[in-house]
Amino acid sequence: MAGRLSWSAISVARRSFGLQLRGSQAQLINSRTLSSALGEEQPNFPGSRSKWTEKLEFVQPDLYDGIPVYRVMNRKGEVIDPAYDPKLEKDTLVKMYKRMTMLNTMDRIMYESQRQGRISFYMTNYGEEGTHIGSAAALDDNDLVYGQYREAGVLMWRGFPLDRFMNQCYGNEGDMGKGRQMPVHYGSTEHKFVTISSPLATQMPQAVGTAYAFKRAQNGLCVICYFGEGTSSEGDAHAAFNFSATLDCPIIFFCRNNGYAISTPTSEQYRGDGVAARGPAYGMATIRVDGNDVFAVYNATKAARHLAVTENRPVLIEAMTYRPTLPSHPTPPHTPGEDRALHPL
Amino acid sequence: MQHVSGALSRSFSTSRVAAATQMTVRDALNSALDEEMEHDENVFLMGEEVAQYDGAYKVSRGLWKKYGDKRVIDTPITESGFAGIAVGAAMGGLRPVCEFMTFNFSMQAIDHVINSASKTFYMSAGLIHVPIVFRGPNGAAAGVGAQHSQCFGAWYSHCPGLKVVSPYSSEDARGLLKAAIRDPDPVVVLENEILYGQPFDISEEALSKDFVLPIGKAKIERSGQHITLVAHSRAVMLALEAANALAGEGVECEVINLRSLRPLDEATIIDSVMKTRNLVTVEQGWPQSGIGSEICARIVESPAFHYLESPVVRVTGVDVPMPYAKSLELACIPQQHDVVKAVKKIRCSRRRWLTATLALWLLTAQTTANVSVVQTYIKLEGVIPQGTVRAAREVCTRELAMERRS
């Protein structure tokens, strides 16, 4: 039975809708013929493509150790395998470093603003700067970004000025959103960053829809959709993953797995091998990376973009990282826990 | 919460006098949940952050510590998922309390609330009960923008098969949540984030473990004879504040706290309007198809219509998605002056109505020299304010003069 149908095949099939009944009858006859010839060697079900087995055994969730975490640098920041050093230009490296530091600094100032009552709400990006800058640097400036709410570094990489970050948070007359939105709900048509929307995961099917539109437009661009591991529990995530694959969309799903959703740890969020394990199940090329390693994030995103744009297919990147602070401000106190020792910051 | 109940029970035995014990709405909800979970082991709480975190708004503080993983369950982030699971648990014999972090997020799960829960009793011809409670904060908070500020009173109260309550005070919160949990059918409890921290006086009776309030019955918070104000949840506070301000100007408002949106206590509103003859509805939600619209329609369809001296006025939130900036937000939520203005507008139109009626009477009296009419007019003079009588006499004189000229 047909596995992955190409785009042109789908259009042909659509056009011959009127002949569908007869076609399927023909297919039935064909498959019966096939099965009588091949049915003994290979199952011929429309729903799957695999082999026979006579062993009664369940595939257990702990079948394998888990999808490995791709990294370029060790904990000391030394490149382990020079073959995978992206060999970025000095200017790019300096820009990356400067933007990560600027993001961290802006966060500190805005966090304190919130504690002082100058703004009512703020979300910091501590610990996840690498995921933003690494991925943003690997994209085309015109690739559309759908964020969740913890991706200010992507905007910063693209040149969103500090003034506009401030104006949005303060909801003052300089705010292009005219005070309509809560702080950190940035958006910019100019920087190709879709305005943040509060309900979780709603950006995911929207991102797929836009990627589909990009494919139709044949503009050589892709969409990147950021979300947290907690958000991946929402029904919208399932729909987004499934549609991105069945509609062959040029989209990168970038999951920031920082270990917590407010106070809910990943052990309560899911039981499987994280979000990455779901990728192949939906028909997506998948990779898990060390989110704190900016080169690994860069390499993975660059390769993902290439796949997405040249082959019109979705790619899932799960960036493992850690949120050392509170999820947002204000929020009642919560201690991150003993595992803090694993991620000294 | 056990600590607080302990303290209260000590004072219970030493003083019979109705000491003004105060309790916040948060503690009221917490104690109600605690007592119902103790009373029936099938009752359990599920939602995001309800367990170890004590609840996003601390309403379930201490419950996970007391009852453990089996009775207080943290869910992954999927409202449609856990609402569906809660409905299934209810159909399977448990009594879930399903918490939405705010009712804005219930939109992700609304198919389960309506199609899976509230329609089931009817669709099964009475065979299947779904004893579930959906609760969480509803409506405008402070500085949380459009996607966190919508009021769902109108949406949920629209649907048959669902009961909808909207508590205001701590007594309301305790009595209505307990009634909701004990109810065999789906109940939506629309709380209010701003009211969580608000302390209210609470009676000893309201603190007892079996205290329940009837769903579908409103409460008259304040008696008055000039005009009726009807509100629910936070807007009750607004109506009471406006009533106090107006009392200083000689206008006595009767304030009705709806407590329930479905069933709506139309009898209480009708009786009140028949007494005061004027009605203003107050709510924070949007005007179109809102609670005020429904109340107005019901009054028009009832005998109270003929008692109205002026049109019904709705005071509502502004018809826009809630903006974030403080100055804009304040302009979008009804304030005390909005309610006072509405009442005064009615008083004006009422005066015009009275003037017109009186003028007609006087004209009739003068032209027909009808003695009984004149006698009635003299009796009325005591009831109607002098200003109105004077105005009526002026109108009448003017009309007669015009008639003589023509």
Side-chain angles (χ1 to χ4, degrees):
Chain A
M1 286 305 289
R4 180 171 283 281
L5 287 173
S6 71
W7 174 237
S8 49
I10 295 171
S11 0
V12 166
R14 289 230 179 87
R15 265 182 258 125
S16 57
F17 185 81
L19 301 169
Q20 204 186 36
L21 265 176
R22 288 212 297 183
S24 70
Q25 278 182 327
Q27 278 183 330
L28 203 55
I29 295 164
N30 279 338
S31 67
R32 282 223 181 93
T33 325
L34 271 173
S35 65
S36 61
L38 296 173
E40 290 308 305
E41 284 90 55
Q42 203 175 303
N44 227 316
F45 299 112
S48 93
R49 45 176 193 263
S50 61
K51 300 189 281 223
W52 292 113
T53 177
E54 284 70 46
K55 262 197 285 186
L56 171 63
E57 64 181 347
F58 291 98
V59 179
Q60 293 294 347
D62 60 357
L63 172 73
Y64 56 93
D65 284 334
I67 293 174
V69 185
Y70 170 68
R71 64 173 177 174
V72 172
M73 296 183 275
N74 62 18
R75 281 308 180 101
K76 288 195 215 130
E78 297 153 348
V79 173
I80 299 168
D81 183 348
Y84 287 104
D85 183 341
K87 295 187 180 63
L88 295 167
E89 282 175 17
K90 182 164 175 251
D91 284 345
T92 313
L93 288 171
V94 171
K95 184 183 173 189
M96 280 180 159
Y97 178 72
K98 272 189 162 169
R99 292 295 150 99
M100 285 170 74
T101 319
M102 185 157 82
L103 177 62
N104 192 283
T105 311
M106 178 180 83
D107 272 351
R108 223 169 323 135
I109 292 171
M110 294 311 288
Y111 164 72
E112 272 160 34
S113 279
Q114 193 278 324
R115 299 319 293 159
Q116 291 166 16
R118 294 167 193 268
I119 56 175
S120 72
F121 181 80
Y122 191 69
M123 292 183 125
T124 55
N125 303 275
Y126 297 142
E128 301 184 41
E129 296 89 343
T131 61
H132 303 180
I133 302 300
S135 55
L139 297 169
D140 184 303
D141 278 342
N142 290 312
D143 288 334
L144 192 64
V145 177
Y146 276 86
Q148 177 168 308
Y149 51 49
R150 217 185 291 282
E151 295 88 13
V154 176
L155 255 182
M156 201 170 259
W157 176 265
R158 289 187 166 184
F160 195 67
L162 280 175
D163 272 0
R164 283 181 63 181
F165 279 111
M166 295 298 116
N167 290 340
Q168 199 286 325
C169 286
Y170 277 84
N172 59 28
E173 66 176 3
D175 173 27
M176 291 189 70
K178 300 189 182 174
R180 301 293 199 262
Q181 290 261 52
M182 290 175 74
V184 308
H185 286 60
Y186 313 115
S188 172
T189 333
E190 187 194 331
H191 300 94
K192 305 289 191 285
F193 191 98
V194 178
T195 311
I196 300 297
S197 175
S198 304
L200 297 175
T202 54
Q203 75 274 18
M204 296 176 74
Q206 290 168 18
V208 174
T210 304
Y212 180 73
F214 278 11
K215 180 173 80 167
R216 293 283 300 262
Q218 295 180 316
N219 57 16
L221 297 174
C222 76
V223 172
I224 187 164
C225 177
Y226 293 90
F227 58 100
E229 89 289 343
T231 292
S232 72
S233 293
E234 284 281 9
D236 271 346
H238 159 75
F241 292 152
N242 201 27
F243 271 96
S244 69
T246 59
L247 290 177
D248 303 293
C249 299
I251 182 168
I252 302 170
F253 286 110
F254 195 103
C255 177
R256 296 176 291 95
N257 187 329
N258 63 12
Y260 289 95
I262 304 189
S263 79
T264 305
T266 50
S267 55
E268 286 180 30
Q269 195 67 244
Y270 54 68
R271 283 295 146 83
D273 174 29
V275 179
R278 303 174 207 172
Y282 284 102
M284 298 192 280
T286 305
I287 189 167
R288 175 175 275 151
V289 309
D290 176 356
N292 300 331
D293 178 343
V294 73
F295 289 159
V297 174
Y298 177 84
N299 285 350
T301 310
K302 201 149 184 88
R305 187 184 189 277
H306 182 79
L307 272 177
V309 169
T310 57
E311 294 182 39
N312 275 330
R313 53 195 289 225
V315 184
L316 172 62
I317 300 174
E318 185 182 21
M320 309 309 290
T321 176
Y322 184 69
R323 190 199 79 214
T325 59
L326 304 171
S328 65
H329 311 273
T331 189
H334 155 72
T335 38
E338 311 84 64
D339 56 353
R340 207 140 175 201
L342 296 170
H343 299 267
L345 277 158
Chain B
M1 198 46 235
Q2 286 167 285
H3 169 75
V4 177
S5 350
L8 286 169
S9 59
R10 276 200 292 279
S11 64
F12 198 98
S13 60
T14 54
S15 107
R16 278 308 170 104
V17 175
T21 317
Q22 289 226 316
M23 187 185 242
T24 61
V25 172
R26 179 182 288 113
D27 288 341
L29 294 166
N30 185 277
S31 61
L33 278 168
D34 190 2
E35 286 162 22
E36 292 308 298
M37 285 173 79
E38 200 171 53
H39 174 250
D40 181 351
E41 63 177 8
N42 288 318
V43 176
F44 73 99
L45 176 65
M46 91 190 291
E48 293 155 359
E49 307 297 316
V50 295
Q52 197 172 17
Y53 198 67
D54 280 338
Y57 299 97
K58 304 305 169 203
V59 174
S60 55
R61 179 168 36 209
L63 295 179
W64 175 76
K65 233 181 180 169
K66 180 174 175 185
Y67 294 102
D69 283 334
K70 270 215 172 93
R71 310 284 301 282
V72 183
I73 301 169
D74 265 349
T75 65
I77 309 177
T78 166
E79 285 75 11
S80 64
F82 65 71
I85 288 165
V87 171
M91 290 181 190
L94 293 174
R95 300 187 80 95
V97 176
C98 175
E99 175 175 310
F100 292 120
M101 203 178 276
T102 80
F103 265 95
N104 296 276
F105 311 144
S106 75
M107 283 200 279
Q108 306 243 350
I110 203 163
D111 181 75
H112 279 302
V113 178
I114 305 302
N115 276 333
S116 304
S118 47
K119 292 182 186 170
T120 296
F121 185 68
Y122 179 89
M123 287 168 67
S124 69
L127 290 174
I128 304 174
H129 282 282
V130 184
I132 190 169
V133 172
F134 297 101
R135 52 159 291 274
N138 173 63
V144 287
Q147 292 164 331
H148 295 88
S149 305
Q150 187 170 334
C151 176
F152 288 84
W155 284 28
Y156 285 122
S157 67
H158 184 66
C159 305
L162 200 56
K163 295 186 186 106
V164 182
V165 299
S166 185
Y168 158 64
S169 63
S170 298
E171 181 176 305
D172 290 355
R174 265 185 64 80
L176 292 172
L177 183 55
K178 284 162 87 69
I181 294 173
R182 294 182 189 202
D183 199 288
D185 296 307
V187 183
V188 162
V189 181
L190 301 174
E191 300 159 10
N192 186 286
E193 192 201 319
I194 307 292
L195 288 176
Y196 280 154
Q198 181 73 31
F200 287 90
D201 287 343
I202 192 159
S203 64
E204 285 172 3
E205 190 209 343
L207 289 167
S208 72
K209 292 212 167 151
D210 282 318
F211 173 71
V212 288
L213 283 173
I215 295 179
K217 198 86 191 65
K219 178 185 179 197
I220 298 178
E221 295 282 347
R222 185 189 199 280
S223 220
Q225 68 263 41
H226 295 139
I227 185 164
T228 303
L229 304 180
V230 182
H232 72 99
S233 187
R234 182 114 198 287
V236 174
M237 183 176 275
L238 177 64
L240 286 169
E241 285 167 4
N244 280 338
L246 286 160
E249 299 180 35
V251 179
E252 292 299 324
C253 303
E254 179 146 293
V255 178
I256 298 179
N257 169 7
L258 281 173
R259 283 180 163 175
S260 298
L261 297 180
R262 187 177 183 104
L264 191 67
D265 187 358
E266 91 181 44
T268 301
I269 306 172
I270 290 168
D271 284 343
S272 175
V273 171
M274 278 166 46
K275 178 176 89 171
T276 66
R277 298 164 177 268
N278 298 283
L279 176 61
V280 168
T281 67
V282 189
E283 67 196 290
Q284 292 193 315
W286 294 317
Q288 181 158 337
S289 316
I291 304 297
S293 318
E294 176 62 19
I295 292 172
C296 186
R298 299 235 194 160
I299 290 295
V300 161
E301 291 171 357
S302 76
F305 171 73
H306 299 284
Y307 288 72
L308 282 172
E309 287 174 347
S310 58
V312 177
V313 172
R314 299 171 294 168
V315 175
T316 70
V318 173
D319 193 37
V320 291
M322 186 69 72
Y324 161 75
K326 195 160 187 192
S327 51
L328 294 177
E329 190 182 41
L330 267 174
C332 287
I333 299 178
Q335 305 297 321
Q336 187 181 299
H337 61 82
D338 294 308
V339 181
V340 168
K341 209 160 92 176
V343 171
K344 287 193 170 166
K345 183 170 152 190
I346 283 188
R347 298 287 292 171
C348 259
S349 72
R350 180 177 171 271
R351 210 167 293 127
R352 275 198 295 274
W353 174 87
L354 281 174
T355 310
T357 317
L358 259 181
L360 194 60
W361 279 66
L362 289 173
L363 270 170
T364 322
Q366 299 249 5
T367 51
T368 66
N370 188 320
V371 173
S372 62
V373 169
V374 175
Q375 281 175 335
T376 314
Y377 153 64
I378 292 164
K379 275 192 209 148
L380 274 173
E381 231 183 317
V383 173
I384 292 157
Q386 279 303 304
T388 316
V389 174
R390 236 177 282 127
R393 208 177 285 134
E394 274 166 36
V395 168
C396 174
T397 319
R398 200 170 51 233
E399 288 297 303
L400 280 172
M402 274 173 63
E403 229 188 83
R404 280 190 202 113
R405 258 182 254 127
S406 61

